[in-house]
């Protein structure tokens, strides 16, 4: 079985390479990490790259996390590669990578890279790390409606009771759909 997976990474048909990455992911097949790295960095089919990145995240050993980190930090990589790598890093070790993702979020905003910025917002909204508290505070005080919405996600996912006042403030009807979300967060957290 292992040999078949390794050979499938070299197949010319992209679906076979995707299946190899999926099999490596399901089995957390550490020996496949070099093949996954190659596919994540160089495959011409985005779907194969995505599956390789997901498999590296599932394996989650030091080597695969280092590969994901380099894919994420290389600003020349496509947004989708950077975002998926960041998502896998935050899934495996949010406390260890949250600060770096927040830094890249700021960089994307500074350079007006809206799709990248919004992608980082989305994945940070689901991250569980204490570093999210300062970001949520920042969004409550100076963010737009989208940032405030993600700040609510951060509060809920991390149970940041210290931000209860900011959540309650957003329950005011003048915030429209955001007030409904704030009410739901307040109710779920018992605020």
């Amino acid at each position: 079985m292992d040999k078949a997976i390794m050979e499938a990474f070299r197949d010319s048909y992209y679906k076979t390479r995707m299946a190899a990455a999926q099999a490596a992911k399901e089995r957390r097949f550490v020996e496949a990490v070099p093949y996954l790295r190659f596919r994540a960095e160089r495959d011409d089919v985005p779907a194969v790259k995505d599956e390789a990145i997901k498999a590296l995240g599932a394996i989650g050993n030091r080597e695969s996390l280092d590969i994901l980190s380099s894919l994420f930090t290389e600003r020349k990589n496509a947004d989708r590669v950077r975002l998926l790598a960041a998502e896998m890093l935050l899934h495996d070790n949010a406390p260890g990578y949250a600060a770096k993702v927040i830094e890249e979020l700021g960089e994307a905003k500074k350079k007006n890279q809206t799709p990248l910025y919004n992608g980082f917002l989305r994945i940070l909204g689901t991250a569980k790390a204490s570093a999210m508290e300062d970001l949520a505070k920042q969004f409550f005080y100076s963010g737009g409606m989208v940032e405030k919405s993600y700040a609510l996600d951060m509060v809920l996912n991390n149970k940041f009771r210290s931000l209860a006042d900011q959540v309650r403030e957003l329950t005011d009807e003048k915030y429209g759909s955001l007030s409904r979300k704030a009410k739901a967060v307040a109710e779920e957290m018992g605020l």
Side-chain angles (χ1 to χ4, degrees):
M1 177 68 156
D2 293 352
K3 191 173 186 217
I5 293 172
M6 301 294 222
E7 287 177 15
F9 279 113
R10 295 187 183 108
D11 199 285
S12 61
Y13 186 50
Y14 81 96
K15 287 193 176 183
T16 304
R17 297 191 308 274
M18 274 178 60
Q22 289 165 345
K25 174 185 168 189
E26 288 167 16
R27 300 184 66 217
R28 290 182 164 62
F29 187 29
V30 175
E31 290 77 18
V33 168
Y35 294 88
L36 291 166
R37 174 186 207 143
F38 182 85
R39 290 294 155 209
E41 291 174 347
R42 296 187 182 96
D43 205 286
D44 354 342
V45 179
V48 176
K49 282 185 177 196
D50 291 355
E51 289 303 323
I53 291 168
K54 289 176 188 173
L56 288 166
I59 292 169
N61 67 359
R62 182 79 265 151
E63 184 183 5
S64 62
L65 292 177
D66 287 346
I67 294 165
L68 289 170
S69 183
S70 71
L71 289 169
F72 159 64
T73 56
E74 176 52 64
R75 292 183 177 157
K76 291 177 183 166
N77 280 337
D79 288 358
R80 68 184 280 138
V81 168
R82 294 188 68 207
L83 290 168
L84 189 54
E87 188 175 350
M88 294 299 104
L89 289 168
L90 289 174
H91 182 267
D92 283 337
N93 182 2
Y97 292 100
K100 185 65 179 157
V101 177
I102 292 168
E103 182 184 320
E104 290 299 315
L105 172 80
E107 189 66 23
K109 183 173 181 111
K110 191 168 78 178
K111 291 182 175 176
N112 289 326
Q113 297 172 308
T114 306
L116 185 62
Y117 178 77
N118 289 337
F120 283 140
L121 274 179
R122 179 185 53 78
I123 62 175
L124 284 166
T126 63
K128 288 183 166 64
S130 60
M132 306 315 300
E133 188 168 9
D134 287 339
L135 185 62
K137 273 184 206 168
Q138 177 188 334
F139 286 162
F140 281 134
Y141 292 119
S142 63
M145 296 302 261
V146 172
E147 286 91 350
K148 283 178 174 46
S149 177
Y150 283 112
L152 289 170
D153 292 340
M154 292 171 200
V155 167
L156 183 61
N157 290 332
N158 291 282
K159 308 295 183 225
F160 291 142
R161 294 194 160 296
S162 62
L163 298 175
D165 291 342
Q166 290 84 345
V167 172
R168 282 191 210 101
E169 183 183 322
L170 290 177
T171 61
D172 189 316
E173 292 299 323
K174 71 179 180 184
Y175 293 105
S177 63
L178 197 57
S179 74
R180 287 189 293 281
K181 184 172 184 175
K183 286 175 186 172
V185 169
E187 186 180 318
E188 191 164 332
M189 289 182 63
L191 304 176

